[in-house]
Amino acid sequence: MHLPRQPQHAPPRSPIHGPALPIGLAVTAIGILIAIATAPASGVSGEQEMPEPSVVQEVPGVELDATVAADPCSEPDVQAALANADDAATIAAFGGGEKFREAVVAGNAPCIALNDPTHVWVVVNKARPLDPIDFTPQPLTAAPLQITTGSGQARSDVAAAIGELAAAAAADGVGQIGANNGYRSYDLQVRTYASHVRAEGQDHADAASARAGHSEHQTGLALDLVACAPCGGIEAFGATPQGAWVAEHSWEYGFIVRYEDGSTPISGYMPEPWHVRYIGVELAEAYHAGGFHTLEEFFGLPAAPDYLQ
């Protein structure tokens, strides 16, 4: 005899609508839910702060003062010396010849114009004509040397310096020094250059003589020296005792040999051991000490082997 089938009942469901859990797990789950529900939301409490990082990376500050170069031209001593047209005092106010050169090369001397023909630091070459082109230096005076042409003048400070140089050479026993010429005016330079063109042609003239307005002789700062007793020509000067002495000692009196052997690619002129140029004792000392051979290199200027037009 068969007994009637009893109805099957599904197992009871948990309050969270999942399968039935053991009582221990259910209690644990309910505790977790309560903790989550009662925990404060992140950032809601004003009393709770985020922890500070243990290492803070910072970008170093830029010290602007360390990158600002001093302007010597703003110094009262420099301004006063320039106002008095005292070149030696100006160079001294810069801190001497080398400091002066460094400031000019660095572009940190806006008050110093290398194209101003009234100053000993002027640079005139094939690319740097005089301004004005027909400049005449003042004051001019006769150089205290035996002169072999009619051009025996120089700037008064240059004339005094070349007299001291010649006296020192004679005292050292190397013989007498004279001059072929000193200052040449714009008009005289026109005639001098033209005579070279007629005699030797344009190319040779440009290697041996400056065009008018481009000549150091027009500044009153240059002289062509000769060995005397009796006086010879300029071409012979380099091979004489006087020529050797000038090459070694001229800087002591403020002069440099402007067109040395080997300088043609920079200066554009053939070597002229007789052509001395006055730049003042302070700059000549820095020139000699630095081992320079052209004014272009000394002042950081481009080479000027050819005329620009």
Side-chain angles (χ1 to χ4, degrees):
M1 180 172 86
H2 296 285
L3 295 175
R5 180 181 292 272
Q6 297 295 322
Q8 298 293 320
H9 298 284
R13 298 178 66 86
S14 71
I16 57 174
H17 307 291
L21 296 174
I23 294 175
L25 289 177
V27 172
T28 302
I30 293 170
I32 292 172
L33 291 174
I34 293 172
I36 292 173
T38 58
S42 176
V44 173
S45 172
E47 298 179 357
Q48 184 175 355
E49 298 180 358
M50 293 296 292
E52 292 291 333
S54 58
V55 178
V56 178
Q57 298 291 336
E58 294 184 358
V59 177
V62 177
E63 297 182 9
L64 296 177
D65 291 343
T67 65
V68 177
D71 178 8
C73 292
S74 65
E75 296 295 326
D77 288 349
V78 172
Q79 295 176 357
L82 286 171
N84 292 328
D86 189 334
D87 291 352
T90 300
I91 295 167
F94 268 77
E98 179 55 24
K99 293 293 185 182
F100 179 92
R101 186 196 75 83
E102 290 175 354
V104 171
V105 172
N108 195 33
C111 58
I112 302 301
L114 296 179
N115 63 345
D116 187 340
T118 65
H119 296 292
V120 295
W121 48 76
V122 64
V123 181
V124 54
N125 56 33
K126 291 182 177 181
R128 300 174 62 88
L130 290 169
D131 183 17
I133 196 84
D134 58 352
F135 171 76
T136 300
Q138 295 293 341
L140 290 166
T141 190
L145 305 177
Q146 185 172 345
I147 309 296
T148 61
T149 69
S151 303
Q153 290 184 310
R155 262 181 39 166
S156 58
D157 53 345
V158 179
I162 201 66
E164 294 175 4
L165 179 150
D172 282 351
V174 298
Q176 182 182 350
I177 291 177
N180 172 267
N181 61 79
Y183 165 71
R184 289 200 294 256
S185 68
Y186 178 89
D187 291 339
L188 178 56
Q189 193 64 32
V190 168
R191 298 193 295 272
T192 301
Y193 176 78
S195 68
H196 281 276
V197 173
R198 288 193 300 270
E200 302 152 340
Q202 182 79 54
D203 290 344
H204 191 278
D206 282 341
S209 178
R211 298 178 186 178
H214 294 264
S215 174
E216 289 198 323
H217 285 285
Q218 193 178 325
T219 67
L221 296 167
L223 299 102
D224 291 337
L225 303 182
V226 294
C228 290
C231 295
I234 56 175
E235 293 83 0
F237 185 73
T240 65
Q242 292 95 318
W245 189 94
V246 165
E248 183 177 356
H249 296 284
S250 61
W251 65 271
E252 299 171 18
Y253 302 89
F255 292 91
I256 62 170
V257 176
R258 180 67 169 98
Y259 307 120
E260 294 186 35
D261 188 17
S263 69
T264 301
I266 296 175
S267 70
Y269 295 107
M270 296 183 294
E272 294 186 0
W274 58 84
H275 181 106
V276 294
R277 159 66 196 276
Y278 187 74
I279 60 174
V281 174
E282 299 84 0
L283 292 182
E285 182 178 1
Y287 187 97
H288 174 76
F292 292 97
H293 300 282
T294 67
L295 274 182
E296 288 77 12
E297 293 171 309
F298 184 68
F299 282 125
L301 298 173
D306 300 301
Y307 291 100
L308 298 181
Q309 56 182 359

